[in-house]
Amino acid sequence: MNIGIVCYPTFGGSGVVATELAKILAQQGHTVHILSYARPARLEEFNTRIFYHEVSINSYPLFEYPPYALALASQMVNLIEFEQLDLLHVHYALPHATSAYLARQIMAERGLHVPIVTTLHGTDITLVGKDPSYKHVVEFSIDKSDGVTAVSEYLKRETYENFDIKQDIKVIPNFIDLDRFQATDQTDLKMQLAPNGEKIVVHVSNFRKVKRVPAVIKIFAKILEKGIPAKLVLAGDGPDRQLAEQQCRRLGICDHVDFMGKWERVEEILSIADLFLIPSGSETFGLAALEAMSCSVPVISSDIGGLPEVNIHGETGYACPLDDLDCMADYAVQVLSTPSLHATLAKNARNRAKLFNQDQIVRQYEDFYEEVRSRSAK
Ligand code: GMT
């Protein structure tokens, strides 16, 4: 198949999922055209079956806000026409599903129907998408897609609750590369970060408010208070970084905290982790938790959104109510101080991650593409 994939290029979840999907589809023999405003972070290697097309947008003195959605739609038309796409798969509804709708209408005028699949990821539904300034357009565009997927049952429910959508939404969860994300020997890194054999607690995120990095630091401070020799390794960067640094200083625990910044090979850090913390305030799936689990790291999370579909309470780690940081800290202490419990959770975490094996999940996308194409051809 000749597939167009539209995504954000950032380190964030939907861009990563879209790019990894493109790579696997290419491995399966499909040709993939990726359309974005910059080269996606994970599209680092040359691949003869993946073509990257940049959306160029000309500014004009009249435009305080250059109309990206229109430039994107126009570029989609070019791709559909000149690359003869069989299907267009857009990740994150806003504004990608709207641009795709427009491109499809333009192509229909020219006698060609190219089906559109929209994958809903997160804040395109739970935050930005339902904001009154966008809601009508987002709702319409999702409903007009030829196929819609969501990355969790939770996100599917949220979409039906917040939008008047008649389309069937198919849940296709996010996936993991079990070979890349597995625990490997990283003795040197471990020695550098925890030279005295301290337990290593890890958090990976883009440090946006929703990730609640200050809560991570509070939980960690409670772990230290309980007398567990430990180090907190924070990988990633973003708006709350300064706040987090201030909090470390306020709590006087800076010697125990390492800010690693953006870290491409996150699996190396996960390989030395004893515990992963993800107390997010909103999370439709929690890819970071799955990556940790795949590296055999038990997870302590909040019990909101799609997280309980990934991290199973009492099996792969523990999930606590959002504001109950004592609950998260108590479980953390229990896991870090009970080797047999840690070993069981770590083994279960890896086993659960296997259910999200990329080959199996990408096959679900391929089957869905076929289904949407045959439905649209009728
Ligand atoms: O919405 C965001 O925060 C970014 C977003 C994205 O679309 O880039 O992340 C969401 O999608 C990820 C991949 O499907 C999920 O793993 C994240 O849980 C989800 N983030 C939120 O819901 C906050």
Side-chain angles (χ1 to χ4, degrees), residues 121-123 126 151-155 282-286 305-307 309:
H121 277 275
T123 48
T126 57
V151 298
S152 63
E153 292 293 341
Y154 162 78
L155 184 56
S282 168
E283 203 74 70
T284 55
F285 184 86
L307 277 170
E309 293 174 46

Side-chain angles (χ1 to χ4, degrees), residues 66-357:
Y68 177 72
L70 301 187
L72 178 61
S74 215
Q75 187 75 24
M76 284 173 174
V77 169
N78 286 339
L79 265 193
I80 294 169
E81 194 158 31
F82 301 124
E83 304 297 346
Q84 299 179 332
L85 298 187
D86 296 307
L87 179 134
L88 193 57
H89 184 179
V90 303
H91 291 258
Y92 203 91
L94 193 88
H96 301 157
T98 310
S99 302
Y101 169 76
L102 191 53
R104 195 189 60 195
Q105 295 307 101
I106 294 170
M107 291 314 296
E109 290 287 320
R110 300 177 190 181
L112 190 67
H113 179 81
V114 175
I116 298 162
V117 170
T118 297
T119 290
L120 310 173
H121 277 275
T123 48
D124 47 350
I125 295 300
T126 57
L127 192 68
V128 203
K130 71 179 185 197
D131 184 285
S133 53
Y134 297 116
K135 188 176 175 200
H136 294 302
V137 174
V138 171
E139 187 171 73
F140 175 84
S141 311
I142 295 172
D143 218 23
K144 291 293 175 190
S145 299
D146 299 284
V148 181
T149 77
V151 298
S152 63
E153 292 293 341
Y154 162 78
L155 184 56
K156 175 177 174 174
R157 280 196 306 276
E158 276 292 293
T159 309
Y160 284 132
E161 263 168 41
N162 288 288
F163 297 90
D164 181 16
I165 289 193
K166 288 154 208 83
Q167 274 273 9
D168 263 356
I169 299 177
K170 183 174 175 64
V171 174
I172 302 185
N174 287 331
F175 50 86
I176 189 87
D177 178 346
L178 293 164
D179 293 330
R180 174 177 168 187
F181 287 93
Q182 62 176 315
T184 54
D185 181 23
Q186 300 292 338
T187 310
D188 288 350
L189 187 60
K190 193 174 167 82
M191 282 307 289
Q192 283 174 46
L193 290 168
N196 302 311
E198 296 94 333
K199 297 289 181 195
I200 299 182
V201 179
V202 172
H203 169 79
V204 180
S205 77
N206 48 20
F207 283 49
R208 283 182 308 152
K209 202 175 172 50
V210 78
K211 303 294 174 183
R212 302 206 317 153
V213 186
V216 172
I217 293 171
K218 278 189 199 155
I219 297 165
F220 180 69
K222 287 174 192 287
I223 296 173
L224 290 179
E225 271 169 28
K226 302 270 169 145
I228 306 271
K231 285 281 176 130
L232 174 63
V233 177
L234 296 164
D237 210 332
D240 272 0
R241 162 87 181 249
Q242 293 227 340
L243 193 68
E245 286 180 1
Q246 279 165 13
Q247 200 183 15
C248 277
R249 287 194 282 273
R250 212 172 36 244
L251 293 168
I253 57 169
C254 290
D255 287 351
H256 300 267
V257 183
D258 275 290
F259 286 87
M260 308 285 285
K262 282 183 185 153
W263 198 267
E264 198 60 55
R265 298 173 311 280
V266 77
E267 62 277 16
E268 293 174 354
I269 295 174
L270 293 172
S271 291
I272 57 166
D274 295 294
L275 191 66
F276 189 81
L277 293 180
I278 177 167
S280 302
S282 168
E283 203 74 70
T284 55
F285 184 86
L287 196 52
L290 180 59
E291 291 178 347
M293 286 161 56
S294 187
C295 292
S296 306
V297 185
V299 170
I300 307 253
S301 68
S302 46
D303 64 358
I304 51 93
L307 277 170
E309 293 174 46
V310 181
N311 176 33
I312 307 297
H313 182 74
E315 185 185 315
T316 61
Y318 296 97
C320 294
L322 189 58
D323 289 320
D324 198 346
L325 301 190
D326 283 331
C327 167
M328 295 190 211
D330 288 347
Y331 277 126
V333 169
Q334 210 177 314
V335 175
L336 293 173
S337 58
T338 321
S340 57
L341 174 64
H342 184 276
T344 306
L345 297 174
K347 188 163 164 266
N348 292 347
R350 173 74 182 171
N351 282 339
R352 176 140 187 92
K354 288 180 182 164
L355 301 177
F356 299 87
N357 174 9

